[in-house]
Amino acid sequence: MVKTKRIWWVNAVPDEHEWADWKKFGKGKNIQEFFPGQPLINYENTSVGDIVLICLTGDIGEIRHIGKIKEGYHKNNDGDYCITIEAVHTLNTPIQKKSLLGIKELKDAEPFRLGIRQKTLLMLSDNEWKIMRKLILSKNPSVKNILESLEGEKMEQIKENIYELNDQVK
């Protein structure tokens, strides 16, 4: 089965993930396992290269990092199911989740419709991603090349999946 590009919003608990402090990332802390919360099907539907908006929960309440799925739903060395997310960039101007509540085009987005709980991995539609992308770029114009690179990486992964599928059919 060929997976298409997906954009995810992950709610990360600062006490459980060192993503709260970007300065620690130089020591391999930018790659972290994320254990399933709800909805489980979202974890199962991740694929390498999917883009992830990392929202720190609690008092922080902001999208602080942009990342990607490094490894989809899998068993880690301890035998626990998880996904692996790599944070690739910290936003100079984080997006406050409170500021998104008034955007009518986002009112039905999973992060708002399902509620913002800890340990959730929520999918954004193409239209919701366009809105979020535009907002991120309006506050962080220097991230444009990073987003384009992540979007390009994902398209390359999709092409590889299609080639693999074609080889299996032959």
Side-chain angles (χ1 to χ4, degrees), residues 144-159:
K144 182 179 182 193
N145 290 340
I146 292 165
L147 290 178
E148 288 174 354
S149 174
L150 288 171
E151 290 164 335
E153 281 180 31
K154 185 60 192 169
M155 291 311 296
E156 287 303 313
Q157 185 65 42
I158 290 169
K159 287 178 190 174

Side-chain angles (χ1 to χ4, degrees), residues 88-148:
V88 296
H89 185 76
T90 295
L91 297 175
N92 291 330
T93 305
I95 309 299
Q96 300 297 314
K97 69 182 180 187
K98 288 187 276 194
S99 70
L100 303 173
L101 297 174
I103 300 174
K104 68 179 180 177
E105 295 86 356
L106 294 177
K107 74 177 175 74
D108 291 326
E110 279 192 4
F112 306 106
R113 183 172 41 84
L114 298 179
I116 298 179
R117 300 179 298 256
Q118 297 176 348
K119 295 187 176 184
T120 52
L121 180 70
L122 304 161
M123 187 167 46
L124 295 175
S125 70
D126 288 342
N127 189 49
E128 293 160 353
W129 169 238
K130 286 177 190 172
I131 293 164
M132 289 299 300
R133 188 184 196 284
K134 186 176 180 180
L135 180 62
I136 290 167
L137 289 175
S138 73
K139 297 182 181 287
N140 300 274
S142 64
V143 80
K144 182 179 182 193
N145 290 340
I146 292 165
L147 290 178
E148 288 174 354

Side-chain angles (χ1 to χ4, degrees), residues 1-6 42-48 50 72-73 154 157-159 161-162:
M1 176 175 161
V2 177
K3 293 188 177 183
T4 58
K5 175 177 77 172
R6 291 193 175 94
N42 283 356
Y43 287 83
E44 295 169 340
N45 284 328
T46 58
S47 62
V48 173
D50 285 354
Y73 194 63
K154 185 60 192 169
Q157 185 65 42
I158 290 169
K159 287 178 190 174
N161 288 345
I162 290 170

Side-chain angles (χ1 to χ4, degrees), residues 3-21:
K3 293 188 177 183
T4 58
K5 175 177 77 172
R6 291 193 175 94
I7 309 295
W8 302 102
W9 166 306
V10 68
N11 288 315
V13 182
D15 294 342
E16 294 179 20
H17 300 92
E18 296 194 24
W19 285 325
D21 187 355

